Amino acid sequence: MLACLAAGVAFAVLVPGPAGTGCYLWRPSTQPVSGRGAALALPVAIVLLVLVDRLSADRFRLRRQVRSIGTAAIGLVTVTAWTGFAAQSRPSCSTSPAVIGTIVCGTLATAVAAHWATRSRAPWTVPDDSSEPASAEPLNQSELRAVFVRLGDQVDSWTSLRFQLFPFATGALAVLLLISTVLPWRELVDPVALGPTAAEAGLARSQLWEIPSARPWAFIVCGLAVATLVSTGLVRRAAAVGTGSVVVVGLLTQLLWQPPSLPNGVGYRTAVGAWIALGLGLCLCAAALLRARRLPVLAGAAAVGVLVGVLVPSATEAPYQPSAVAGVPHRSLDLHGGQLVDRLGMRVSIGTSDPLDSLAWTLDGSPGQWLLGRTGSESSTVFAYDDDVALPQVTLNHGPTPPALWGVADNHLVVLAGGARGQPWAILSVPLDLATADISLSHKNKDGSYYVTPGVDALATGVGPALSHRNADRSIVVWGSTTTWQFPANQLRKGIRLADFVVDPGPGASGNAVSSGPDGTTAWRTSETGLAMVRPGGVPQQLTGVAPAGCVLSSDTASSSMTVDAFAVDVRGNLWLGGGAPTSVITLDGVLRKLPGGAEGVDSIEARPDGSVLLGTSPGGGDQVLEIPDAAGAAASYPAAPPPDPRCDRRKPADGTTTFKATTVPTVPVVGAAGVSTQLALDATGRLVRVRVPLAARSFAPDGQGGVWWTVVDRRSMESAVHLVRGRTTVVRDPQPVPGSQKGEYAAAAGDRVVSAIGGSLYNRYGPGDAVRRVQVKGELRPNGLVQLASGEVAMVLGEQLVLVDSRPTVLLGGSTSGWPITATGVPATQLTADGTWFTGPDGKLWGYDGCHLVRVDAPERVTVVAGPRQGVPQAADQVTVIGQALYFQLGNDLIRLEAAR
């Protein structure tokens, strides 16, 4: 029979199954095949058992040991082969002929070998009657003793089945339990990668031991089981009862403590190792209680075992207690590779680009923590995270864009769904008692509202883009393309009007991030590089975007060259900054202080109402959430950054010669339908509009009079310059082809003249009229460093120098790699910086804007400060456009017009 089973296993393994099974063993080109080695070892082990048994036929005791060891070996090889199949993570493995044949034949072979090893047979046979007469001489005492000793050994060696099965089963189960605990077979199936459906989300394990916190307990159980096997008599029975009680009670305690599964199948499942341990405990108890004579001793051993089984698992489950030093961030969640692993082995894959969007608390401040884990290509599951255990709650079908998890209020999840690339967005309230919810916003109802699962309430809707973050004052900020809303957490209810929650603390805030604290301190982004802040009773203060390039971190934020990717105001009014520069905080005294302990590359910051601060980082490609427990209280104790260098000091801005009047321009209409880039201009009626520049334009620039120039290249590589003035266009064509390997990037215009860089060191100069000239200038042109003057001259920023290009190049200023600001006095012109934006001013001369001041270059090495912040110049603007005598500064979504005050 064993030989037939060996042939069956070999046939199932070596004969390839149909391609539709999706689970292969003997196909070298198909992966994975992790179960092939063990599967091939199974028929070999069966055949070896048969051969060794035949070779040891003349030695009875050796033959019995061979059969026992061979049975255990076949069972272990069968279990190993099964785990190899499960490791392939293919659903069709359960129906594969190779899997079915190997498991069935291996199980039958184990059962047959076990019966073979434990079957009873007569140790001797009664000889037939002999015709020879028996001797009448009686045996002496020594001969009788020798016969009885020989017969007694043979009878004791062949006891009944039940007395041999229990020690054998106990030893086998103890070995399996130890193997399942020690060997790295823990996570054979990744629950996150099983598929997008809700039934496959969460935890669907095939591992041998599932409770990582009980690993010390498993070693204790194995040690007690070994002690039971080596002892004898009453000691063995008492040890067996005590060990069995420890196993059964301790295991049941762990299983009852495990969270239950949800109706959709999401949750924890008991693994093979648990059943092995439970079988071990029951086997020990049954073996000891059979034919028990001293019940009080066994009852005492059982009581001790029950007590140990209750206390030992709890003792090995040490609660999570992070070691935190005041002011030094520690790891709040381990998200290496974007996955969190809880202490029960659950893997939660963070699917949002910002890890803080996947982490939320209760909005009213009561205890509770939730995680948003990606469990499919277009679905995520919300997990209740308590005591380092992730319990699945609700599966959200959200489409390609995952939602931002805000928190939980009144047993409802509050999320921001959608909002990417102009798609609709909605603030939704999802009941926690739902198994699944559709929040994809991909369908509309008959009344025009977006479809969501019944029971889900849409609190507010809009059209993207839409981003959000939580504030320390328990408010939530959402910002879109042109508007910013701030919602108090206790006012998130159905039917809210977005117009009632618009927030605009200052220029540039509309459509940008805003953070506020309970004391009224508010910070907001003014532009791509600018950040401003206002304290209660104070005036707005520009923080970033005005320092010269290359200025290191100093005690004055405005004098430090910083790239701020994230910011947040904590409960005491401290402003936390993170991004390209080291993470730092501006305390109430206005001093910038670097965070001790180091936290580089911070992508997001959240100040919590309890005074802590969370940092979202991605070091080495893996997301992490760092927590500063007492951030608000510890910030003032951080060491202050050194004072700024003299060339970087912006604490005393320079005063100019002209005072300007600044006004905010109302909404500017957009005209044209050719492209996505826009440029300020005047239409035929003289109204200020934004003109869409054609997609084919290689470069474009305003002409300073309300018109727009752009250049295009046709199929013959011939460039043309198009001038749009008050709704009419004129075209000037370049008679020379543009080199194919070069492409235009920058252009500058003044009236009827325009210059465009066509790549390398070549430039086309158009105008006046149909005149076209191609010139070559040596040097690397910097962005925003090309200026067409009304006089016909052209200025360029080449390297570190501002050069007037004419028949003979003239250096106006610059040359030092670490130059002083262009407003500095008493500094040689060669030491001045050429950083900033250069353009033709309202008077036709060369003007510059360094993010803080307006300057005019009157002659080589002579610079005049036209105006500064005290004269109304906006700070850290993204773009400056001149139309007539007015200057227009782009601050985020706000447009500020600057006109000289009369």
Side-chain angles (χ1 to χ4, degrees):
M1 184 178 293
L2 288 177
C4 293
L5 292 174
V9 174
F11 181 81
V13 174
L14 298 178
V15 176
T21 61
C23 187
Y24 311 106
L25 294 177
W26 192 246
R27 291 192 178 182
S29 61
T30 305
Q31 296 292 333
V33 288
S34 56
R36 183 180 63 190
L40 291 176
L42 182 57
V44 175
I46 297 175
V47 173
L48 286 178
L49 175 59
V50 176
L51 293 178
V52 175
D53 176 78
R54 290 294 177 264
L55 293 175
S56 60
D58 56 342
R59 302 180 62 183
F60 187 76
R61 293 185 180 181
L62 176 62
R63 189 178 191 184
R64 185 179 59 183
Q65 295 176 359
V66 167
R67 293 178 177 181
S68 300
I69 296 174
T71 302
I74 293 176
L76 290 177
V77 173
T78 302
V79 173
T80 304
W82 176 81
T83 58
F85 300 143
Q88 298 191 33
S89 305
R90 299 186 181 185
S92 57
C93 277
S94 59
T95 59
S96 171
V99 177
I100 295 175
T102 303
I103 300 302
V104 172
C105 294
T107 304
L108 292 177
T110 304
V112 171
H115 173 70
W116 188 23
T118 58
R119 65 180 179 176
S120 298
R121 58 181 298 182
W124 73 91
T125 59
V126 178
D128 298 335
D129 293 338
S130 177
S131 59
E132 297 181 359
S135 175
E137 183 180 352
L139 295 176
N140 58 29
Q141 194 70 16
S142 299
E143 292 175 340
L144 288 175
R145 183 181 298 109
V147 171
F148 279 109
V149 168
R150 185 175 67 255
L151 295 179
D153 291 341
Q154 293 183 2
V155 172
D156 291 339
S157 64
W158 287 100
T159 54
S160 61
L161 174 63
R162 62 182 180 183
F163 293 108
Q164 294 196 29
L165 179 61
F166 285 126
F168 174 77
T170 301
L173 291 175
V175 171
L176 286 177
L177 179 62
L178 185 62
I179 291 176
S180 67
T181 307
V182 177
L183 294 184
W185 295 347
R186 304 176 57 79
E187 293 162 358
L188 302 179
V189 179
D190 190 351
V192 178
L194 289 179
T197 62
E200 295 176 345
L203 185 65
R205 296 296 175 82
S206 296
Q207 62 203 46
L208 294 181
W209 188 256
E210 185 165 283
I211 310 174
S213 62
R215 173 174 284 193
W217 172 72
F219 283 109
I220 294 174
V221 170
C222 292
L224 293 176
V226 172
T228 303
L229 295 177
V230 299
S231 60
T232 60
L234 182 60
V235 177
R236 168 181 285 187
R237 293 182 181 275
V241 172
T243 304
S245 302
V246 170
V247 174
V248 174
V249 177
L251 181 61
L252 291 179
T253 302
Q254 291 285 337
L255 295 180
L256 292 176
W257 180 79
Q258 276 188 317
S261 298
L262 294 179
N264 60 2
V266 180
Y268 291 88
R269 299 178 183 177
T270 305
V272 179
W275 297 113
I276 294 175
L278 187 60
L280 172 62
L282 295 175
C283 182
L284 289 174
C285 292
L289 293 177
L290 290 175
R291 292 189 176 184
R293 296 180 180 179
R294 298 186 181 182
L295 291 178
V297 176
L298 299 183
V304 174
V306 169
L307 184 63
V308 174
V310 173
L311 297 180
V312 170
S314 300
T316 58
E317 296 168 7
Y320 175 70
Q321 295 180 352
S323 57
V325 181
V328 178
H330 68 80
R331 193 173 299 157
S332 176
L333 295 176
D334 188 359
L335 299 177
H336 286 295
Q339 284 191 343
L340 166 76
V341 182
D342 70 357
R343 63 192 182 96
L344 288 184
M346 170 75 83
R347 283 188 178 272
V348 179
S349 178
I350 304 302
T352 57
S353 57
D354 182 2
L356 296 185
D357 282 342
S358 297
L359 184 65
W361 287 263
T362 54
L363 296 178
D364 60 359
S366 59
Q369 188 175 359
W370 282 265
L371 289 171
L372 182 70
R374 196 67 171 265
T375 50
S377 59
E378 295 188 354
S379 64
S380 299
T381 299
V382 178
F383 297 81
Y385 190 64
D386 185 22
D387 196 20
D388 291 340
V389 176
L391 174 62
Q393 296 289 312
V394 184
T395 297
L396 304 176
N397 299 318
H398 49 67
T401 304
L405 182 61
W406 286 358
V408 174
D410 299 329
N411 204 36
H412 284 67
L413 297 170
V414 182
V415 298
L416 175 66
R421 299 180 181 178
Q423 298 299 315
W425 58 265
I427 304 173
L428 302 177
S429 177
V430 183
L432 283 173
D433 54 4
L434 286 179
T436 60
D438 183 3
I439 60 171
S440 59
L441 307 179
S442 57
H443 303 285
K444 283 189 176 183
N445 299 318
K446 294 181 179 180
D447 59 357
S449 61
Y450 294 103
Y451 169 79
V452 290
T453 299
V456 177
D457 294 329
L459 308 184
T461 60
V463 178
L467 300 171
S468 67
H469 70 230
R470 296 173 291 257
N471 289 329
D473 59 357
R474 298 192 187 281
S475 65
I476 301 175
V477 173
V478 179
W479 63 97
S481 58
T482 59
T483 311
T484 302
W485 302 273
Q486 188 170 9
F487 306 95
N490 58 359
Q491 297 185 27
L492 288 170
R493 60 178 62 94
K494 188 176 181 180
I496 59 177
R497 296 179 64 252
L498 293 178
D500 298 337
F501 298 95
V502 175
V503 58
D504 190 6
S510 56
N512 276 325
V514 175
S515 180
S516 60
D519 65 341
T521 301
T522 303
W524 69 96
R525 191 177 296 280
T526 60
S527 60
E528 293 182 1
T529 59
L531 190 68
M533 179 180 66
V534 61
R535 297 194 182 274
V539 296
Q541 177 186 2
Q542 191 72 31
L543 299 177
T544 62
V546 295
C551 292
V552 298
L553 206 67
S554 65
S555 58
D556 180 54
T557 312
S559 303
S560 306
S561 181
M562 301 180 65
T563 300
V564 178
D565 296 327
F567 61 95
V569 178
D570 65 20
V571 293
R572 295 194 180 183
N574 304 309
L575 178 60
W576 295 81
L577 308 175
T583 305
S584 54
V585 56
I586 303 175
T587 51
L588 297 178
D589 55 4
V591 177
L592 184 68
R593 304 173 187 272
K594 184 180 178 181
L595 175 67
E600 306 293 339
V602 173
D603 301 323
S604 57
I605 301 179
E606 178 184 337
R608 297 171 58 190
D610 60 359
S612 62
V613 168
L614 297 182
L615 309 176
T617 67
S618 300
D623 293 333
Q624 288 184 3
V625 178
L626 305 180
E627 181 181 11
I628 309 175
D630 188 20
S637 64
Y638 297 170
D645 295 336
R647 76 173 188 88
C648 299
D649 197 344
R650 288 299 177 100
R651 290 174 291 185
K652 294 181 180 180
D655 291 335
T657 59
T658 306
T659 300
F660 287 85
K661 177 183 178 181
T663 57
T664 302
V665 179
T667 304
V668 179
V670 180
V671 298
V676 293
S677 300
T678 61
Q679 181 65 57
L680 287 175
L682 300 177
D683 63 4
T685 62
R687 181 184 58 166
L688 184 66
V689 295
R690 292 187 181 275
V691 177
R692 289 194 179 96
V693 181
L695 289 174
R698 303 178 70 181
S699 60
F700 57 91
D703 64 359
Q705 303 297 325
V708 180
W709 282 92
W710 66 80
T711 60
V712 293
V713 176
D714 57 19
R715 297 179 179 178
R716 299 175 300 171
S717 298
M718 306 296 290
E719 185 182 73
S720 301
V722 182
H723 191 195
L724 174 64
V725 181
R726 302 285 180 110
R728 296 183 178 181
T729 58
T730 56
V731 180
V732 180
R733 292 181 173 84
D734 181 13
Q736 303 181 54
V738 176
S741 59
Q742 300 177 352
K743 97 180 192 181
E745 297 178 354
Y746 309 109
D752 57 353
R753 300 174 182 268
V754 64
V755 56
S756 67
I758 59 176
S761 300
L762 294 177
Y763 300 85
N764 276 348
R765 299 179 62 176
Y766 298 88
D770 295 333
V772 181
R773 290 186 299 162
R774 178 167 296 180
V775 297
Q776 184 173 12
V777 180
K778 295 182 180 180
E780 182 180 358
L781 181 67
R782 294 175 57 180
N784 300 320
L786 182 62
V787 184
Q788 172 68 64
L789 299 177
S791 60
E793 297 174 310
V794 176
M796 300 181 184
V797 178
L798 302 175
E800 301 294 336
Q801 293 181 330
L802 178 62
V803 181
L804 187 64
V805 179
D806 202 354
S807 57
R808 183 178 178 181
T810 303
V811 178
L812 301 177
L813 55 88
S816 175
T817 56
S818 59
W820 286 67
I822 53 179
T823 58
T825 57
V827 178
T830 55
Q831 297 295 321
L832 297 179
T833 181
D835 295 335
T837 301
W838 299 94
F839 55 93
T840 301
D843 56 1
K845 295 184 178 180
L846 179 61
W847 283 38
Y849 173 69
D850 64 350
C852 189
H853 302 85
L854 287 173
V855 299
R856 183 179 64 245
V857 180
D858 296 324
E861 302 184 1
R862 194 174 75 185
V863 179
T864 302
V865 180
V866 178
R870 298 177 183 176
Q871 288 76 47
V873 176
Q875 301 178 70
D878 292 326
Q879 186 180 9
V880 183
T881 303
V882 177
I883 298 180
Q885 297 299 312
L887 294 90
Y888 294 87
F889 292 78
Q890 189 71 43
L891 290 169
N893 292 296
D894 289 333
L895 187 63
I896 308 298
R897 179 169 55 205
L898 210 64
E899 295 177 305
R902 297 180 180 177

